[in-house]
Amino acid sequence: MNDRSREVFRRVVEGYLDTGGPVGSRTLTRTMSEKVSAATIRNVMQDLEFLGLLDSPHVSAGRVPTQLGLRMFVDGLLEIRDLEDDDREKIDATLGSNENDVGAMLDRVGAALSGVTQGASLVLAPKHEAPIKHIEFVSLAPDRALTVLVFADGHVENRLFQPAPGQTPSSMREAANFLNAFAAGKTLSDLRRSMQVEISRRRQELDDLARVMVEAGLAVWENEGSDHERLIVRGRANLLADSTEAEELDRIRSLFDDLERKRDIVEFLELAEEGEGVRIFIGSENKLFSLSGSSLVVSPYMNADRRIVGAVGVIGPTRLNYGRIVPIVDYTAQLVGKLITDRGKR
């Protein structure tokens, strides 16, 4: 693109991000750095449309950027602003409590992020990674059992699950004893990595029921419910605030359904882990919420060992104010990492 085409393209995208509507040639004649006619601008717009960067939603209604156009703008023309003091203060206010409840702290962070961006915030909480002290299986009914996991820091987690048919109190005790022989001092991630090897090596020491019980006990910590509970979503109502078009409302309802039913939350963390710092996913690039045509701005956060343990993000329509939201998400991820690290030192 030459300088004129680049300026027309940039102003169309910025106008769309600002208003959510198409930008016409007459509007651009008032803002272009050089004096050009509306006819000249229309010709440039047609060229940009031919390249797949712009689209015309209605005849004579101006142009809007395509997904390809938005990606090109974000990668090459987006100007990232400095974090505004007012936004920083609102996010910093989440530091006001010294409570040990990480979930409550992250809920406040999510609410602040949603309030500042006027979008929906997503916060993926870290899994509990303290060393394990004890594991126990408790039979509640023939088709229902409880896994009790006690950590060295005193934290206790319980998970209900459906055991395989034929489980007995004896096989549950054998499975628990087998796990506890290897669990002490290991984190859940450590144990999960090593147990499949141990099960294979010591297959003769376990009867079939106990082996199935061990595998079920490990799997229950990766089940759909526990991962889903890690995702904190705040500010869904913000997505409806400026939406009037039926098509846009349908996309938002689709997004709501995704947020309610999505279970493979590990993918959300994978989105953040695939690159350094803040990442922007536009429309169908966003494999978690692609059907709703939404954009996601996401950044990972790390624990004291500099290991990625969670992520924060903002999701909304493709006309997000990326230049303002990127530094907000980046700062929030750094803040959450600091909070997690500080609590790990106590």
Side-chain angles (χ1 to χ4, degrees):
M1 289 191 291
N2 58 29
D3 291 343
R4 178 183 293 170
S5 297
R6 188 177 293 106
E7 183 178 2
V8 169
F9 173 68
R10 178 173 59 81
R11 291 190 182 279
V12 169
V13 177
E14 289 175 344
Y16 168 76
L17 296 180
D18 186 46
T19 67
V23 178
S25 56
R26 291 193 181 279
T27 300
L28 294 186
T29 58
R30 297 191 293 269
T31 59
M32 290 286 290
S33 59
E34 61 173 330
K35 290 291 183 180
V36 291
S37 67
T40 299
I41 292 177
R42 281 195 295 272
N43 288 335
V44 174
M45 284 179 163
Q46 287 174 357
D47 292 340
L48 293 170
E49 190 171 353
F50 178 76
L51 292 172
L53 301 177
L54 298 183
D55 190 20
S56 49
H58 308 289
V59 177
S60 302
R63 302 298 198 283
V64 297
T66 61
Q67 180 177 311
L68 176 63
L70 282 172
R71 171 49 59 191
M72 178 176 171
F73 175 82
V74 164
D75 289 345
L77 299 175
L78 179 64
E79 295 181 2
I80 304 296
R81 304 180 191 174
D82 292 331
L83 184 64
E84 297 177 8
D85 291 340
D86 185 51
D87 292 338
R88 185 193 306 271
E89 289 170 4
K90 289 177 181 176
I91 298 169
D92 284 346
T94 57
L95 289 167
S97 173
N98 292 320
E99 65 186 303
N100 291 319
D101 188 339
V102 173
M105 179 269 291
L106 293 178
D107 186 78
R108 291 197 312 276
V109 169
L113 182 58
S114 170
V116 167
T117 62
Q118 290 300 295
S121 67
L122 309 178
V123 179
L124 185 66
K127 288 186 177 180
H128 201 83
E129 286 295 303
I132 298 167
K133 182 177 180 181
H134 183 73
I135 297 173
E136 187 173 353
F137 298 115
V138 180
S139 178
L140 302 177
D143 62 346
R144 197 156 54 110
L146 184 71
T147 303
V148 181
L149 191 60
V150 182
F151 293 89
D153 62 359
H155 180 77
V156 178
E157 289 189 16
N158 302 313
R159 284 285 184 272
L160 285 169
F161 71 103
Q162 184 174 350
Q167 288 292 343
T168 65
S170 174
S171 65
M172 287 191 177
R173 282 195 301 273
E174 184 180 356
N177 290 339
F178 183 81
L179 281 168
N180 284 316
F182 301 99
K186 289 186 173 68
T187 66
L188 191 58
S189 295
D190 294 336
L191 182 63
R192 191 179 293 119
R193 283 191 291 267
S194 65
M195 281 314 300
Q196 291 303 326
V197 175
E198 292 297 333
I199 290 172
S200 298
R201 286 179 53 199
R202 302 171 183 269
R203 183 173 292 271
Q204 300 303 318
E205 298 177 24
L206 283 169
D207 66 28
D208 290 340
L209 285 176
R211 187 177 68 253
V212 170
M213 198 68 194
V214 169
E215 292 170 343
L218 292 172
V220 74
W221 304 103
E222 294 181 325
N223 68 12
E224 296 175 347
S226 62
D227 272 336
H228 185 57
E229 289 165 9
R230 293 176 62 202
L231 188 68
I232 301 168
V233 183
R234 291 292 175 265
R236 273 173 276 212
N238 289 336
L239 301 178
L240 294 170
D242 299 320
S243 303
T244 55
E245 293 289 336
E247 185 177 346
E248 187 172 357
L249 286 171
D250 285 343
R251 284 199 299 270
I252 291 173
R253 290 190 186 99
S254 174
L255 174 58
F256 281 7
D257 289 342
D258 279 345
L259 291 173
E260 288 294 337
R261 296 181 304 196
K262 185 59 65 178
R263 291 295 184 266
D264 199 4
I265 299 305
V266 173
E267 287 188 23
F268 177 61
L269 184 55
E270 288 176 352
L271 291 180
E273 287 181 327
E274 289 169 0
E276 292 290 330
V278 181
R279 303 196 70 205
I280 299 173
F281 297 88
I282 300 169
S284 60
E285 298 174 352
N286 176 356
K287 60 184 177 179
L288 275 179
F289 310 111
S290 58
L291 292 180
S292 63
S294 303
S295 283
L296 173 68
V297 181
V298 60
S299 178
Y301 61 86
M302 301 180 182
N303 62 9
D305 299 323
R306 303 299 297 168
R307 187 167 64 86
I308 293 174
V309 294
V312 300
V314 171
I315 191 167
T318 54
R319 60 182 184 88
L320 285 173
N321 187 339
Y322 300 100
R324 176 172 175 261
I325 288 177
V326 166
I328 292 174
V329 169
D330 184 40
Y331 182 76
T332 304
Q334 293 181 44
L335 176 66
V336 171
K338 181 179 184 301
L339 293 171
I340 295 296
T341 298
D342 289 347
R343 278 161 173 72
K345 294 176 180 177
R346 293 179 182 178

